[in-house]
Amino acid sequence: MPKGQPTTIPDDGLTTRQRRNRPLIIVHTGPGKGKSTAAFGLALRSWNSGFDIGVFQFVKSAKWRIGEQTVLERLGQLHEETGEGGAVTWHKMGSGWSWSRKDGTEDDHAAAAAEGWEEIKRRLAAEQHDLYVLDEFTYPMKWGWVDVDDVVETLQSRPGRQHVIITGRDADPRLMDAADLVTEMTKIKHPMDAGQKGQRGIEW
Amino acid sequence: MPKGQPTTIPDDGLTTRQRRNRPLIIVHTGPGKGKSTAAFGLALRSWNSGFDIGVFQFVKSAKWRIGEQTVLERLGQLHEETGEGGAVTWHKMGSGWSWSRKDGTEDDHAAAAAEGWEEIKRRLAAEQHDLYVLDEFTYPMKWGWVDVDDVVETLQSRPGRQHVIITGRDADPRLMDAADLVTEMTKIKHPMDAGQKGQRGIEW
């Protein structure tokens, strides 16, 4: 909660304001809970600042729908109706990317993931969103479906003022090097260890 | 994202359903980002499930208002207007607890924190909320303003089906023992280290 002060002032020729407003690459990784949840919590905050939010979920299943999707889409609708907050668009690999003709029932997840990344590249080039949530995007990188160097290079050279959050376990060291903010979520204790399954309202 | 399966089935005499629906004590601790953000992300999810949400922020300043408050209160208003989601009430120590006659300008933060905890105890006894977000509540415990044993005993004996999330650094070991889910957020890298201050839409 404390706002804090930078511990060093870099010699980068930028004013404090310019430096403050640099867009961020944020990574939430580690084996613990809260990586995606914190990303969507951040999206909530960004919505309130009027950011245009694009969510890209690299999940295999179309069935998996989390409460955050319903609420953030509802907030996007509120934006359209009343002008409050920002726009929200939500894309999910498992149900077929919304801009794609493919229906998501195919088993070629590698191709679907690559297709998702290509669209994100186009949008970054066009400065389409203010905040990109690339949920579970570390996995296609880990599995070689998306080239890590291409991701790092694309993110580092992205134009304008676009923030990008990437979530998932086992983030590649090159991605973490390129990121401005990396948080690792570590599991200390989980109800699953005591035989308790996930429940509505808490887990999804 | 994977739903996962429990690794052990405890011999506790409960059915899977009963066990699944046990209310949780959740702790987000550690020096990294995302403790509160993930808690509010979880609140978003809970709102979508129709949970009645009570947020209690143990912050000293009245000025500090985060985007999540605006959005969650807006969602609470939406609930009142349309019946969507759940109710949301937000209480902040620094601006004077809303149920209290004191105005929050006093400097006695210890008394204010104790007063906040007493109200939470009353609400837990009355089963007033489905989800309690006790934001930054580890600090009054750490500073001795609120008794840790009292918190643990109250949480462990709370009636009904009330979930409680507590955030903040340096969670007491007794609290972590009592919790069902503990996640530690660790800072790997932070823009402040590169001299960059927080910015609207991202940090608040």
Side-chain angles (χ1 to χ4, degrees):
Chain A
M1 189 56 54
K3 280 192 164 183
Q5 288 295 325
T7 48
T8 57
I9 306 294
D11 183 25
D12 54 12
L14 298 176
T15 65
T16 301
R17 187 190 183 89
Q18 286 169 328
R19 198 177 303 116
R20 162 170 280 182
N21 287 329
R22 274 186 312 191
L24 300 177
I25 302 172
I26 300 173
V27 174
H28 293 173
T29 192
K33 301 287 294 180
K35 296 185 289 293
S36 299
T37 310
F40 295 125
L42 185 58
L44 200 65
R45 194 177 284 177
S46 299
W47 180 85
N48 187 56
S49 285
F51 285 18
D52 183 301
I53 299 166
V55 177
F56 302 83
Q57 281 196 294
F58 286 80
V59 291
K60 290 181 192 172
S61 170
K63 279 185 276 182
W64 191 273
R65 182 186 177 88
I66 53 177
E68 289 94 322
Q69 180 176 354
T70 305
V71 184
L72 278 164
E73 286 184 337
R74 181 69 181 91
L75 290 170
Q77 189 191 333
L78 210 57
H79 173 72
E80 282 175 33
E81 290 166 2
T82 68
E84 290 167 85
V88 177
T89 47
W90 195 289
H91 309 282
K92 200 157 52 176
M93 190 174 87
S95 45
W97 297 114
S98 49
W99 62 82
S100 168
R101 289 190 189 174
K102 296 172 188 158
D103 67 0
T105 58
E106 292 178 61
D107 278 337
D108 194 347
H109 299 308
E115 194 192 346
W117 169 240
E118 287 305 319
E119 174 70 14
I120 291 162
K121 280 172 80 169
R122 282 190 289 271
R123 291 179 186 223
L124 284 167
E127 299 184 39
Q128 193 155 342
H129 303 291
D130 301 309
L131 176 73
Y132 297 72
V133 181
L134 311 188
D135 189 37
E136 314 266 338
F137 189 50
T138 57
Y139 302 105
M141 280 189 266
K142 183 180 176 179
W143 299 325
W145 297 348
V146 169
D147 182 61
V148 179
D149 290 324
D150 183 33
V151 171
V152 167
E153 201 180 301
T154 302
L155 292 182
Q156 284 182 326
S157 63
R158 73 196 188 284
R161 190 168 143 65
Q162 306 178 86
H163 301 281
V164 180
I165 313 179
I166 295 174
T167 77
R169 294 180 184 214
D170 305 325
D172 192 280
R174 287 167 285 175
L175 178 65
M176 296 207 274
D177 280 349
D180 303 287
L181 171 58
V182 179
T183 303
E184 184 175 83
M185 277 68 169
T186 308
K187 178 185 86 165
I188 304 291
K189 190 193 266 190
H190 192 283
M192 198 93 76
D193 302 335
Q196 184 172 1
K197 293 186 176 187
Q199 55 187 305
R200 178 169 156 82
I202 299 294
E203 294 277 334
W204 66 87
Chain B
M1 188 56 52
K3 281 193 165 181
Q5 289 294 325
T7 47
T8 57
I9 307 293
D11 183 23
D12 55 11
L14 297 176
T15 65
T16 300
R17 187 189 184 88
Q18 286 170 330
R19 198 176 302 115
R20 163 170 280 183
N21 286 329
R22 275 185 310 191
L24 300 177
I25 301 171
I26 299 173
V27 174
H28 293 172
T29 192
K33 301 287 294 180
K35 295 184 289 293
S36 299
T37 310
F40 295 125
L42 185 58
L44 201 63
R45 192 176 283 177
S46 299
W47 180 85
N48 187 56
S49 286
F51 286 18
D52 183 301
I53 299 165
V55 177
F56 303 83
Q57 281 197 294
F58 286 80
V59 291
K60 290 181 194 171
S61 171
K63 279 185 276 182
W64 190 272
R65 184 187 176 88
I66 54 177
E68 289 94 323
Q69 179 177 355
T70 305
V71 185
L72 278 164
E73 287 184 335
R74 182 67 180 93
L75 290 170
Q77 188 191 335
L78 210 57
H79 173 72
E80 281 174 33
E81 291 166 3
T82 69
E84 291 168 83
V88 177
T89 47
W90 196 290
H91 310 281
K92 200 158 52 177
M93 190 174 86
S95 45
W97 297 114
S98 49
W99 64 79
S100 168
R101 289 190 189 173
K102 296 171 188 160
D103 67 359
T105 58
E106 294 178 60
D107 278 336
D108 193 348
H109 299 308
E115 194 192 346
W117 168 240
E118 289 304 320
E119 175 70 13
I120 291 162
K121 281 173 80 170
R122 282 190 290 272
R123 292 180 185 221
L124 284 166
E127 299 184 39
Q128 193 156 343
H129 303 292
D130 300 309
L131 176 73
Y132 296 73
V133 181
L134 311 188
D135 190 37
E136 313 265 340
F137 188 50
T138 58
Y139 302 105
M141 280 189 266
K142 184 180 175 181
W143 297 327
W145 298 348
V146 168
D147 182 61
V148 180
D149 290 323
D150 182 33
V151 170
V152 167
E153 200 180 302
T154 301
L155 293 182
Q156 285 182 325
S157 63
R158 72 197 188 284
R161 191 169 143 65
Q162 305 179 86
H163 301 281
V164 180
I165 313 179
I166 294 173
T167 78
R169 295 181 184 214
D170 305 325
D172 192 280
R174 287 165 285 174
L175 178 65
M176 296 207 273
D177 280 348
D180 303 286
L181 171 59
V182 179
T183 303
E184 184 174 84
M185 278 68 170
T186 308
K187 179 186 85 165
I188 305 290
K189 190 193 266 190
H190 192 283
M192 199 93 76
D193 303 335
Q196 185 170 0
K197 291 186 178 188
Q199 56 187 301
R200 178 169 156 84
I202 298 294
E203 294 276 336
W204 67 87

